[in-house]
Each structure stands twice: as structure tokens, then as C-alpha cells.
Amino acid sequence: MEPHTTSSTWLRGVAGTLTAQGLDAAALFADAGLDLAALEDPDRYWPTEQISRLWRLAAERSGNPAVALMNPHVAAPAHYGVVGYAMMSSANLLVGLERLIRYLQLVSDAASISLVPQAGGRCVRLDLFGRNSTVPRQRSEYGLLTLLTFCRWMTGRKLRPLWASFSFGPPLDEGPYSEAFQCPLRFDADFNGFCVSDLDLASKLPTGLAARADLHDQVARVELDRLNTPTITHRAQEAI
């Protein structure tokens, strides 16, 4: 079975979050079996088990189980690579999220995002995959917060979800969650996600432009084709 992987562009965002908290990102990456310097290669993808290990180490060494929530107001369009640009060029937030779902494999095939209809809106559900180990809560928290922050940045306002849900139990301190998500919180829920109102989903994006969206769609499709038909060099790198 092929391992699930995540792109260098996404991991660069993780490294920035850890560094902003005064942690030694290079040491954490090395101890997790990741090469911080190699993240400069946008074509590299990294095994999800090592990313889970990275978050466990970060929580342990920081002494802060909410380490993934400590950078809640920094927008991260670059973390999504070309997918982020495709989202930004969309007419509204709903179309942007649909583009994310369509091209998510370019960011990671260790994740699945779906839109679940709810009264008054839709829930953005995030499912993360491990191979032989449990996914740490920090990976889910970081993924949800990064996406929500990007949605806020795209709409140009402080988008507040109707609620956010987490599949794990309540933490000892809910403060970081309240600060980050700014909405009612649900723990021990059926899934990890946040619910966005229909009004917010229909919000026009200031960066939306149909011609630019078509261009980014073309680029994303080419990248998907390239990813799904890797070169001999790429296959050798993955094997090593």
C-alpha cells in the first residue's frame, strides 16, 4: 500500500508556525525524519507518519498541547500552492472551497475535505489519514485553523463559523480554541470541521476573476496530471 503524503508547501507553513513559537523547527523536523532544507523543493512530498510524529514532538517539547493553534491570525495562501491561487480567483467562498476539494491531492493525499449540508449552511469536514498510527489532534487542529484563516483572508473580513467541532474530548483549557475559531465549540463530535453559513459561502471574493480562475484551473490540472504520472527521477526520490 502506497503511503499517504503531504507537500513541501504545506510543511513550510508548519515550520513557520513552530518557529514563531520559539521552537527549534530544524531539530524537530530532523527528529521526525524530515529534512527542513529540502522543503524548498516544491515537488517533494513527505510521508504522513513523519508529519504525525512531528506534531507529537512539537506538543511534547513545547509543553503545550494547543501548539497547533498558536498562530491563529496569520493568513497562509502560500501553504496551498497553486490550489490557493485557484481558490482566491473564485467568484465566492463556496466555489473556492469546491476548488480546494477538486485539487486537494496537490496539497496532500493524506487528507479529505467535504462539504456537509447543515441547517443554514454547510460544514467543512476534514478527515486526515495515518497509515500505521493514530493521527494526533494537533494535525487536525492545524489543518482546520489554517483553512479557516485562509477563508477569512480571502473574504477580507472576520468570518465566524456557526460552530466548530472536534472528534476528540475537551481540552483542559478551551481558551486557545475560542481565540482561534471565535465560535461555539463542540468536542467529542462525529467529525473535525467548522460550519459556515450560506450567507458567508455566497460572499464574493475581492480577488475573484473568471479569466484568472480558468488559468489557475489549467495549471492545477496540469500539476495533477504530472503528479499522477511521476517521472523516473521522482519515483527514485520517493523510493530513497
Side-chain angles (χ1 to χ4, degrees), residues 24-35:
D24 188 341
L28 284 168
F29 270 66
D31 291 344
L34 300 164
D35 183 355

Side-chain angles (χ1 to χ4, degrees), residues 102-122:
R102 188 181 313 145
Y103 303 126
L104 183 60
Q105 188 181 0
L106 292 175
V107 182
S108 175
D109 66 4
S112 173
I113 293 175
S114 54
L115 295 173
V116 183
Q118 297 285 328
R122 300 195 196 187

Side-chain angles (χ1 to χ4, degrees), residues 19-238:
T19 300
Q21 298 179 61
L23 297 172
D24 188 341
L28 284 168
F29 270 66
D31 291 344
L34 300 164
D35 183 355
L36 186 62
L39 298 187
E40 295 306 313
D41 179 359
D43 294 327
R44 286 288 297 271
Y45 285 78
W46 305 87
T48 187
E49 290 80 7
Q50 293 171 320
I51 300 168
S52 290
R53 191 179 309 133
L54 173 67
W55 280 116
R56 291 190 188 95
L57 288 170
E60 176 185 326
R61 294 184 186 176
S62 66
N64 179 14
V67 63
L69 301 177
M70 293 296 101
N71 209 13
H73 305 300
V74 178
H79 299 177
Y80 295 92
V82 65
V83 183
Y85 294 109
M87 294 172 68
M88 289 164 54
S89 62
S90 300
N92 57 47
L93 185 57
L94 176 59
V95 175
L97 290 170
E98 289 172 340
R99 277 196 165 92
L100 172 61
I101 292 170
R102 188 181 313 145
Y103 303 126
L104 183 60
Q105 188 181 0
L106 292 175
V107 182
S108 175
D109 66 4
S112 173
I113 293 175
S114 54
L115 295 173
V116 183
Q118 297 285 328
R122 300 195 196 187
C123 284
V124 182
R125 172 173 177 160
L126 173 66
D127 292 291
L128 296 178
F129 312 125
R131 191 178 186 189
N132 299 314
S133 60
T134 303
V135 175
R137 62 191 294 167
Q138 289 82 14
R139 263 186 67 194
S140 298
E141 293 165 355
Y142 180 80
L144 287 177
L145 180 57
T146 300
L147 179 53
L148 176 58
T149 304
F150 187 30
C151 289
R152 288 168 171 164
W153 185 83
M154 285 192 295
T155 59
R157 54 194 177 82
K158 293 184 177 180
L159 185 153
R160 294 179 184 270
L162 300 176
W163 43 264
S165 64
F166 306 91
S167 61
F168 39 80
L172 294 177
D173 180 10
E174 293 189 13
Y177 293 83
S178 297
E179 168 67 16
F181 292 93
Q182 300 179 2
C183 66
L185 306 172
R186 300 178 180 181
F187 295 95
D188 287 320
D190 292 335
F191 60 85
N192 296 304
F194 56 85
C195 192
V196 183
S197 72
D198 288 327
L199 181 62
D200 285 329
L201 288 170
S203 298
K204 291 185 177 180
L205 302 184
T207 53
L209 186 63
R212 190 180 297 145
D214 290 341
L215 174 62
H216 290 145
D217 276 337
Q218 293 175 27
V219 174
R221 284 194 293 266
V222 168
E223 289 296 311
L224 268 182
D225 289 342
R226 187 169 67 90
L227 183 64
N228 290 321
T229 55
T231 63
I232 293 175
T233 300
H234 178 75
R235 289 199 296 268
Q237 289 176 338
E238 288 299 311

